Amino acid sequence: MTPEPISRRARPAKAPLSREAIVRAGLAILDRDGLDALTMRRVAKELDTGPASLYVYVANRDDLMAAMLDEALARVPLTAEGTWREQLHALVAATVEAMSRHEGLAAVALGAIPTGANALLVIDRMLALLKQGGLDDITAAWAVDLLHLHSAAAAAEQSAYLTKGGKEETVVADADRHYAALPADRYPMITALRPALFSPGDRDTWGLDVLLSGILQTPAR
Amino acid sequence: MTPEPISRRARPAKAPLSREAIVRAGLAILDRDGLDALTMRRVAKELDTGPASLYVYVANRDDLMAAMLDEALARVPLTAEGTWREQLHALVAATVEAMSRHEGLAAVALGAIPTGANALLVIDRMLALLKQGGLDDITAAWAVDLLHLHSAAAAAEQSAYLTKGGKEETVVADADRHYAALPADRYPMITALRPALFSPGDRDTWGLDVLLSGILQTPAR
DNA sequence: GACATCGACGAACAGCGTTCGCCACGAACG
DNA sequence: CGTTCGTGGCGAACGCTGTTCGTCGATGTC
């Protein structure tokens, strides 16, 4: 097949539809215009077609989002340097990072046992590191459950800031003001500890340390 | 048309619209028919009115769901017996229970710093117990953050089973079969540890123990 | 050359959240 | 007592949504 006639040139180089192309278009829209803009019509328009065409490759919107989540997890580096614990820490942090970068994707991970190819690779790596740490099978299995839950939750919380106006600091400052106006007799501890509640610091790193320490110290059953 | 004098009596004792009534109607629909059925039109019908009438008392659907979440949290008992750690454990477990009972409400808690009156009461109580445990202000503050995140996530995961057909065991069995069919060379750890991954046991209690142990052992900064 | 298969897609359906503008009613005011 | 005014209630509508159906055309096979 040689150079196309002019009629095809109007829309040049229209890539053929495919599941991959749809997933990538979805991610592009999600990153550019947010979760509300991620509609089947909008994805179809990005690919220069109609919404009905998508359903050949994608069962429905949920299926599309699950595929997008797994695509996002493909970017998680599975290997790192350091002790097993440092590597595990880095792996979980990278997973949170990858999910929280795309608004709303973490919520998908929260509601289902992971089955995506890349999600499973992450989990497999987590299991390997936990076993390397000397944990027994059951504790390692439950730990990976807990770490997955925590990753999804942390990412969901983080990506929620993308939804609301963007600025995380603004949202936190609003909450601080709200807490400052609470009646001290009804909420004595919140009132007393308000400076600590809104103190800056790396809570994500601390949270992960808490989890890892707790896991090491708490054998299942 | 024919104005029916009897029509007022046909639906007797029609309570006047109020924010409380709307919230309660929403919870009733959510529990009875699920998250998909929770539409403004459906809530309005439950109260024998039209959707536009709701917007006098409720800003929008998100506002309604936030109010429903706080109403659900009103049922969390704030006091229990035992050591501070046992009380804290019970408090968190009760919070998860209350949220997971209503499909989709936990997702609301994940995306925002809590501001509802009842949510704040729970948090205030958590802070009190953590301080009773001897933690410094910052660690207690970060711990309450982490516990809140974990509660919402655990409840969201739990309530997701309400969405899918209902039976948790069915979903888990499906996942087990899926994992069994994975290529062992690509996912060696998952394949090897599959029995442990799907082993029964009280993972929620274990997860909470992990968190509490980790918190006690990991001072912030 | 005839046939079967399957991707593409225009059109439509049923439903959604939310807004607008009008109605009725009760309180406030002169 | 009459009038005005604010406000809860709500019918109707707008602009969307996810998804399905049936048709069309191209491609690969016998």
Side-chain angles (χ1 to χ4, degrees):
Chain A
M1 189 103 43
T2 37
E4 297 281 341
I6 306 173
S7 64
R8 295 262 179 180
R9 286 273 173 165
R11 281 261 182 258
K14 171 172 171 176
L17 227 43
S18 72
R19 187 168 230 262
E20 251 196 46
I22 293 173
V23 169
R24 264 206 278 273
L27 276 175
I29 293 171
L30 186 63
D31 293 348
R32 196 185 326 122
D33 302 322
L35 184 60
D36 284 348
L38 187 73
T39 70
M40 300 303 274
R41 282 171 167 80
R42 186 85 178 61
V43 173
K45 184 161 288 181
E46 183 91 1
L47 296 168
D48 213 5
T49 180
S53 304
L54 306 179
Y55 286 84
V56 176
Y57 302 97
V58 153
N60 50 43
R61 189 175 183 263
D62 286 349
D63 181 36
L64 170 57
M65 291 197 66
M68 287 167 60
L69 169 64
D70 208 61
E71 175 67 23
L73 287 177
R75 264 93 183 176
V76 175
L78 293 177
T79 59
E81 303 211 324
T83 66
W84 70 269
R85 185 169 166 158
E86 288 166 349
Q87 290 187 57
L88 184 55
H89 193 119
L91 180 61
V92 174
T95 306
V96 174
E97 233 282 294
M99 288 197 286
S100 64
R101 179 173 266 125
H102 314 281
E103 180 192 348
L105 278 198
V108 177
L110 257 176
I113 298 173
T115 55
N118 293 310
L120 290 177
L121 281 178
V122 172
I123 285 180
D124 204 75
R125 188 83 190 100
M126 279 188 192
L127 279 173
L129 290 170
L130 287 166
K131 284 303 288 180
Q132 198 174 326
L135 274 68
D136 65 281
D137 285 8
I138 302 229
T139 305
W142 290 17
V144 90
D145 249 30
L146 187 61
L147 289 172
H148 174 78
L149 184 68
H150 177 79
S151 305
E157 183 176 58
Q158 197 61 35
S159 87
Y161 290 122
L162 295 178
T163 310
K164 329 208 170 188
K167 276 292 184 195
E168 169 170 351
E169 296 143 15
T170 313
V171 178
V172 173
D174 283 351
D176 194 357
R177 261 190 301 277
H178 184 250
Y179 280 25
L182 292 175
D185 56 336
R186 203 167 155 77
Y187 305 105
M189 301 307 294
I190 291 179
T191 305
L193 295 189
R194 190 167 61 87
L197 282 170
F198 293 96
S199 64
D202 194 346
R203 293 164 190 239
D204 293 343
T205 299
W206 177 80
L208 248 174
D209 277 334
V210 166
L211 277 175
L212 295 183
S213 305
I215 288 167
L216 281 175
Q217 198 180 331
T218 315
R221 298 200 248 179
Chain B
M1 299 295 109
T2 57
E4 302 186 26
I6 313 172
S7 72
R8 291 261 179 182
R9 292 275 175 173
R11 281 250 182 269
K14 172 174 171 178
L17 227 44
S18 72
R19 186 167 229 263
E20 250 195 45
I22 293 173
V23 169
R24 265 205 276 273
L27 276 175
I29 293 170
L30 186 62
D31 293 348
R32 195 182 332 121
D33 302 323
L35 184 59
D36 284 347
L38 187 73
T39 71
M40 300 303 274
R41 282 172 165 80
R42 188 84 177 63
V43 174
K45 186 161 287 181
E46 183 90 1
L47 295 168
D48 213 5
T49 180
S53 304
L54 305 179
Y55 286 84
V56 177
Y57 302 97
V58 154
N60 49 44
R61 189 177 184 263
D62 286 348
D63 182 36
L64 170 58
M65 291 198 67
M68 287 168 59
L69 169 64
D70 208 60
E71 175 67 24
L73 288 177
R75 264 92 184 177
V76 175
L78 293 176
T79 59
E81 303 210 326
T83 67
W84 70 269
R85 184 166 169 162
E86 289 166 348
Q87 289 187 57
L88 185 55
H89 193 119
L91 181 61
V92 174
T95 306
V96 174
E97 233 281 295
M99 289 197 287
S100 64
R101 181 173 264 125
H102 314 281
E103 180 192 347
L105 277 198
V108 177
L110 256 176
I113 298 173
T115 54
N118 293 310
L120 291 177
L121 281 178
V122 171
I123 285 180
D124 203 76
R125 189 83 189 102
M126 280 190 192
L127 278 174
L129 290 170
L130 287 166
K131 283 304 286 181
Q132 199 174 326
L135 275 69
D136 65 282
D137 285 7
I138 303 229
T139 306
W142 291 16
V144 90
D145 249 32
L146 187 61
L147 289 172
H148 173 79
L149 185 68
H150 178 79
S151 304
E157 184 176 57
Q158 198 60 36
S159 87
Y161 291 122
L162 294 178
T163 310
K164 330 208 169 186
K167 277 291 186 200
E168 169 170 351
E169 295 142 16
T170 314
V171 178
V172 173
D174 283 351
D176 195 358
R177 262 191 300 277
H178 184 249
Y179 281 26
L182 292 175
D185 55 337
R186 199 165 158 78
Y187 305 105
M189 301 307 295
I190 291 180
T191 305
L193 294 188
R194 190 168 61 86
L197 281 169
F198 294 96
S199 64
D202 193 346
R203 293 165 192 238
D204 292 342
T205 298
W206 177 81
L208 248 174
D209 277 335
V210 165
L211 277 175
L212 295 182
S213 305
I215 287 167
L216 280 175
Q217 198 180 333
T218 315
R221 297 200 250 179

PDB file of all heavy atoms in Angstrom, chain A residues 117-139:
ATOM      1  N   ALA A 117      -1.829  -7.483  35.225  1.00  0.00           N
ATOM      2  CA  ALA A 117      -0.504  -8.083  35.064  1.00  0.00           C
ATOM      3  C   ALA A 117       0.557  -7.301  35.828  1.00  0.00           C
ATOM      4  O   ALA A 117       1.402  -7.894  36.515  1.00  0.00           O
ATOM      5  CB  ALA A 117      -0.153  -8.150  33.573  1.00  0.00           C
ATOM      6  N   ASN A 118       0.525  -5.987  35.735  1.00  0.00           N
ATOM      7  CA  ASN A 118       1.551  -5.187  36.392  1.00  0.00           C
ATOM      8  C   ASN A 118       1.331  -5.095  37.898  1.00  0.00           C
ATOM      9  O   ASN A 118       2.285  -5.092  38.675  1.00  0.00           O
ATOM     10  CB  ASN A 118       1.587  -3.786  35.780  1.00  0.00           C
ATOM     11  CG  ASN A 118       2.075  -3.814  34.345  1.00  0.00           C
ATOM     12  OD1 ASN A 118       3.105  -4.405  34.046  1.00  0.00           O
ATOM     13  ND2 ASN A 118       1.313  -3.205  33.447  1.00  0.00           N
ATOM     14  N   ALA A 119       0.082  -5.037  38.302  1.00  0.00           N
ATOM     15  CA  ALA A 119      -0.208  -5.054  39.734  1.00  0.00           C
ATOM     16  C   ALA A 119       0.311  -6.346  40.352  1.00  0.00           C
ATOM     17  O   ALA A 119       0.882  -6.344  41.455  1.00  0.00           O
ATOM     18  CB  ALA A 119      -1.713  -4.917  39.956  1.00  0.00           C
ATOM     19  N   LEU A 120       0.151  -7.431  39.638  1.00  0.00           N
ATOM     20  CA  LEU A 120       0.610  -8.714  40.161  1.00  0.00           C
ATOM     21  C   LEU A 120       2.126  -8.777  40.231  1.00  0.00           C
ATOM     22  O   LEU A 120       2.697  -9.386  41.144  1.00  0.00           O
ATOM     23  CB  LEU A 120       0.052  -9.850  39.298  1.00  0.00           C
ATOM     24  CG  LEU A 120      -1.455 -10.054  39.433  1.00  0.00           C
ATOM     25  CD1 LEU A 120      -1.936 -11.155  38.492  1.00  0.00           C
ATOM     26  CD2 LEU A 120      -1.827 -10.393  40.869  1.00  0.00           C
ATOM     27  N   LEU A 121       2.792  -8.124  39.281  1.00  0.00           N
ATOM     28  CA  LEU A 121       4.248  -8.082  39.343  1.00  0.00           C
ATOM     29  C   LEU A 121       4.709  -7.341  40.590  1.00  0.00           C
ATOM     30  O   LEU A 121       5.650  -7.769  41.271  1.00  0.00           O
ATOM     31  CB  LEU A 121       4.807  -7.396  38.084  1.00  0.00           C
ATOM     32  CG  LEU A 121       4.867  -8.255  36.824  1.00  0.00           C
ATOM     33  CD1 LEU A 121       5.396  -7.440  35.644  1.00  0.00           C
ATOM     34  CD2 LEU A 121       5.740  -9.484  37.056  1.00  0.00           C
ATOM     35  N   VAL A 122       4.054  -6.237  40.893  1.00  0.00           N
ATOM     36  CA  VAL A 122       4.395  -5.483  42.108  1.00  0.00           C
ATOM     37  C   VAL A 122       4.195  -6.361  43.335  1.00  0.00           C
ATOM     38  O   VAL A 122       5.049  -6.428  44.233  1.00  0.00           O
ATOM     39  CB  VAL A 122       3.545  -4.203  42.201  1.00  0.00           C
ATOM     40  CG1 VAL A 122       3.750  -3.532  43.555  1.00  0.00           C
ATOM     41  CG2 VAL A 122       3.886  -3.240  41.064  1.00  0.00           C
ATOM     42  N   ILE A 123       3.071  -7.037  43.373  1.00  0.00           N
ATOM     43  CA  ILE A 123       2.769  -7.885  44.524  1.00  0.00           C
ATOM     44  C   ILE A 123       3.771  -9.028  44.644  1.00  0.00           C
ATOM     45  O   ILE A 123       4.234  -9.369  45.744  1.00  0.00           O
ATOM     46  CB  ILE A 123       1.325  -8.416  44.406  1.00  0.00           C
ATOM     47  CG1 ILE A 123       0.357  -7.289  44.740  1.00  0.00           C
ATOM     48  CG2 ILE A 123       1.109  -9.617  45.299  1.00  0.00           C
ATOM     49  CD1 ILE A 123      -1.086  -7.685  44.656  1.00  0.00           C
ATOM     50  N   ASP A 124       4.111  -9.602  43.518  1.00  0.00           N
ATOM     51  CA  ASP A 124       5.087 -10.688  43.541  1.00  0.00           C
ATOM     52  C   ASP A 124       6.416 -10.211  44.123  1.00  0.00           C
ATOM     53  O   ASP A 124       7.037 -10.879  44.960  1.00  0.00           O
ATOM     54  CB  ASP A 124       5.301 -11.218  42.110  1.00  0.00           C
ATOM     55  CG  ASP A 124       5.808 -12.642  42.105  1.00  0.00           C
ATOM     56  OD1 ASP A 124       4.996 -13.547  42.370  1.00  0.00           O
ATOM     57  OD2 ASP A 124       7.020 -12.836  41.870  1.00  0.00           O
ATOM     58  N   ARG A 125       6.807  -9.016  43.703  1.00  0.00           N
ATOM     59  CA  ARG A 125       8.066  -8.444  44.210  1.00  0.00           C
ATOM     60  C   ARG A 125       7.966  -8.170  45.709  1.00  0.00           C
ATOM     61  O   ARG A 125       8.903  -8.409  46.467  1.00  0.00           O
ATOM     62  CB  ARG A 125       8.355  -7.155  43.450  1.00  0.00           C
ATOM     63  CG  ARG A 125       9.713  -6.562  43.734  1.00  0.00           C
ATOM     64  CD  ARG A 125      10.796  -7.221  42.900  1.00  0.00           C
ATOM     65  NE  ARG A 125      12.118  -6.800  43.348  1.00  0.00           N
ATOM     66  CZ  ARG A 125      12.927  -7.510  44.137  1.00  0.00           C
ATOM     67  NH1 ARG A 125      12.539  -8.711  44.533  1.00  0.00           N
ATOM     68  NH2 ARG A 125      14.101  -7.045  44.505  1.00  0.00           N
ATOM     69  N   MET A 126       6.824  -7.651  46.142  1.00  0.00           N
ATOM     70  CA  MET A 126       6.624  -7.395  47.571  1.00  0.00           C
ATOM     71  C   MET A 126       6.753  -8.676  48.368  1.00  0.00           C
ATOM     72  O   MET A 126       7.423  -8.716  49.415  1.00  0.00           O
ATOM     73  CB  MET A 126       5.228  -6.806  47.814  1.00  0.00           C
ATOM     74  CG  MET A 126       5.094  -5.313  47.546  1.00  0.00           C
ATOM     75  SD  MET A 126       3.466  -4.720  48.114  1.00  0.00           S
ATOM     76  CE  MET A 126       3.443  -3.093  47.365  1.00  0.00           C
ATOM     77  N   LEU A 127       6.140  -9.723  47.873  1.00  0.00           N
ATOM     78  CA  LEU A 127       6.216 -11.008  48.565  1.00  0.00           C
ATOM     79  C   LEU A 127       7.656 -11.484  48.665  1.00  0.00           C
ATOM     80  O   LEU A 127       8.098 -11.958  49.722  1.00  0.00           O
ATOM     81  CB  LEU A 127       5.364 -12.052  47.827  1.00  0.00           C
ATOM     82  CG  LEU A 127       3.861 -12.023  48.107  1.00  0.00           C
ATOM     83  CD1 LEU A 127       3.135 -12.993  47.188  1.00  0.00           C
ATOM     84  CD2 LEU A 127       3.586 -12.361  49.568  1.00  0.00           C
ATOM     85  N   ALA A 128       8.392 -11.316  47.576  1.00  0.00           N
ATOM     86  CA  ALA A 128       9.788 -11.761  47.583  1.00  0.00           C
ATOM     87  C   ALA A 128      10.576 -11.007  48.653  1.00  0.00           C
ATOM     88  O   ALA A 128      11.353 -11.613  49.408  1.00  0.00           O
ATOM     89  CB  ALA A 128      10.396 -11.529  46.202  1.00  0.00           C
ATOM     90  N   LEU A 129      10.378  -9.703  48.727  1.00  0.00           N
ATOM     91  CA  LEU A 129      11.117  -8.910  49.706  1.00  0.00           C
ATOM     92  C   LEU A 129      10.721  -9.271  51.133  1.00  0.00           C
ATOM     93  O   LEU A 129      11.575  -9.338  52.031  1.00  0.00           O
ATOM     94  CB  LEU A 129      10.877  -7.418  49.440  1.00  0.00           C
ATOM     95  CG  LEU A 129      11.533  -6.876  48.161  1.00  0.00           C
ATOM     96  CD1 LEU A 129      11.048  -5.471  47.846  1.00  0.00           C
ATOM     97  CD2 LEU A 129      13.060  -6.904  48.292  1.00  0.00           C
ATOM     98  N   LEU A 130       9.439  -9.518  51.342  1.00  0.00           N
ATOM     99  CA  LEU A 130       8.985  -9.871  52.684  1.00  0.00           C
ATOM    100  C   LEU A 130       9.567 -11.222  53.114  1.00  0.00           C
ATOM    101  O   LEU A 130       9.972 -11.402  54.266  1.00  0.00           O
ATOM    102  CB  LEU A 130       7.452  -9.909  52.731  1.00  0.00           C
ATOM    103  CG  LEU A 130       6.776  -8.534  52.696  1.00  0.00           C
ATOM    104  CD1 LEU A 130       5.282  -8.669  52.388  1.00  0.00           C
ATOM    105  CD2 LEU A 130       6.979  -7.805  54.020  1.00  0.00           C
ATOM    106  N   LYS A 131       9.603 -12.161  52.186  1.00  0.00           N
ATOM    107  CA  LYS A 131      10.207 -13.461  52.507  1.00  0.00           C
ATOM    108  C   LYS A 131      11.705 -13.308  52.770  1.00  0.00           C
ATOM    109  O   LYS A 131      12.268 -13.952  53.667  1.00  0.00           O
ATOM    110  CB  LYS A 131       9.979 -14.437  51.346  1.00  0.00           C
ATOM    111  CG  LYS A 131       8.560 -14.998  51.266  1.00  0.00           C
ATOM    112  CD  LYS A 131       8.135 -15.700  52.537  1.00  0.00           C
ATOM    113  CE  LYS A 131       8.855 -17.041  52.704  1.00  0.00           C
ATOM    114  NZ  LYS A 131       8.406 -17.699  53.986  1.00  0.00           N
ATOM    115  N   GLN A 132      12.331 -12.424  51.987  1.00  0.00           N
ATOM    116  CA  GLN A 132      13.748 -12.136  52.196  1.00  0.00           C
ATOM    117  C   GLN A 132      13.971 -11.596  53.602  1.00  0.00           C
ATOM    118  O   GLN A 132      15.034 -11.786  54.200  1.00  0.00           O
ATOM    119  CB  GLN A 132      14.202 -11.115  51.150  1.00  0.00           C
ATOM    120  CG  GLN A 132      15.699 -11.032  50.947  1.00  0.00           C
ATOM    121  CD  GLN A 132      16.037 -10.099  49.793  1.00  0.00           C
ATOM    122  OE1 GLN A 132      15.297 -10.027  48.811  1.00  0.00           O
ATOM    123  NE2 GLN A 132      17.152  -9.391  49.905  1.00  0.00           N
ATOM    124  N   GLY A 133      12.955 -10.913  54.130  1.00  0.00           N
ATOM    125  CA  GLY A 133      13.036 -10.368  55.485  1.00  0.00           C
ATOM    126  C   GLY A 133      12.819 -11.410  56.557  1.00  0.00           C
ATOM    127  O   GLY A 133      12.837 -11.090  57.743  1.00  0.00           O
ATOM    128  N   GLY A 134      12.543 -12.625  56.152  1.00  0.00           N
ATOM    129  CA  GLY A 134      12.450 -13.689  57.123  1.00  0.00           C
ATOM    130  C   GLY A 134      11.044 -13.973  57.640  1.00  0.00           C
ATOM    131  O   GLY A 134      10.883 -14.747  58.581  1.00  0.00           O
ATOM    132  N   LEU A 135      10.062 -13.375  57.046  1.00  0.00           N
ATOM    133  CA  LEU A 135       8.700 -13.609  57.536  1.00  0.00           C
ATOM    134  C   LEU A 135       8.193 -14.982  57.087  1.00  0.00           C
ATOM    135  O   LEU A 135       8.591 -15.488  56.034  1.00  0.00           O
ATOM    136  CB  LEU A 135       7.761 -12.527  57.000  1.00  0.00           C
ATOM    137  CG  LEU A 135       7.673 -11.236  57.804  1.00  0.00           C
ATOM    138  CD1 LEU A 135       8.979 -10.465  57.729  1.00  0.00           C
ATOM    139  CD2 LEU A 135       6.514 -10.381  57.340  1.00  0.00           C
ATOM    140  N   ASP A 136       7.308 -15.550  57.886  1.00  0.00           N
ATOM    141  CA  ASP A 136       6.689 -16.814  57.473  1.00  0.00           C
ATOM    142  C   ASP A 136       5.648 -16.537  56.386  1.00  0.00           C
ATOM    143  O   ASP A 136       5.271 -15.398  56.149  1.00  0.00           O
ATOM    144  CB  ASP A 136       6.038 -17.485  58.683  1.00  0.00           C
ATOM    145  CG  ASP A 136       4.885 -16.679  59.227  1.00  0.00           C
ATOM    146  OD1 ASP A 136       5.143 -15.680  59.947  1.00  0.00           O
ATOM    147  OD2 ASP A 136       3.722 -17.004  58.910  1.00  0.00           O
ATOM    148  N   ASP A 137       5.194 -17.601  55.743  1.00  0.00           N
ATOM    149  CA  ASP A 137       4.320 -17.436  54.580  1.00  0.00           C
ATOM    150  C   ASP A 137       3.065 -16.639  54.893  1.00  0.00           C
ATOM    151  O   ASP A 137       2.691 -15.707  54.167  1.00  0.00           O
ATOM    152  CB  ASP A 137       3.918 -18.825  54.044  1.00  0.00           C
ATOM    153  CG  ASP A 137       5.064 -19.488  53.288  1.00  0.00           C
ATOM    154  OD1 ASP A 137       6.177 -18.923  53.323  1.00  0.00           O
ATOM    155  OD2 ASP A 137       4.842 -20.546  52.663  1.00  0.00           O
ATOM    156  N   ILE A 138       2.408 -17.007  55.962  1.00  0.00           N
ATOM    157  CA  ILE A 138       1.123 -16.355  56.252  1.00  0.00           C
ATOM    158  C   ILE A 138       1.303 -14.885  56.591  1.00  0.00           C
ATOM    159  O   ILE A 138       0.563 -14.013  56.106  1.00  0.00           O
ATOM    160  CB  ILE A 138       0.413 -17.092  57.420  1.00  0.00           C
ATOM    161  CG1 ILE A 138       0.214 -18.560  57.033  1.00  0.00           C
ATOM    162  CG2 ILE A 138      -0.901 -16.403  57.752  1.00  0.00           C
ATOM    163  CD1 ILE A 138      -1.153 -19.094  57.253  1.00  0.00           C
ATOM    164  N   THR A 139       2.291 -14.593  57.403  1.00  0.00           N
ATOM    165  CA  THR A 139       2.523 -13.184  57.742  1.00  0.00           C
ATOM    166  C   THR A 139       2.871 -12.379  56.490  1.00  0.00           C
ATOM    167  O   THR A 139       2.385 -11.264  56.301  1.00  0.00           O
ATOM    168  CB  THR A 139       3.655 -13.060  58.773  1.00  0.00           C
ATOM    169  OG1 THR A 139       3.337 -13.870  59.907  1.00  0.00           O
ATOM    170  CG2 THR A 139       3.803 -11.623  59.232  1.00  0.00           C
TER     171      THR A 139
END
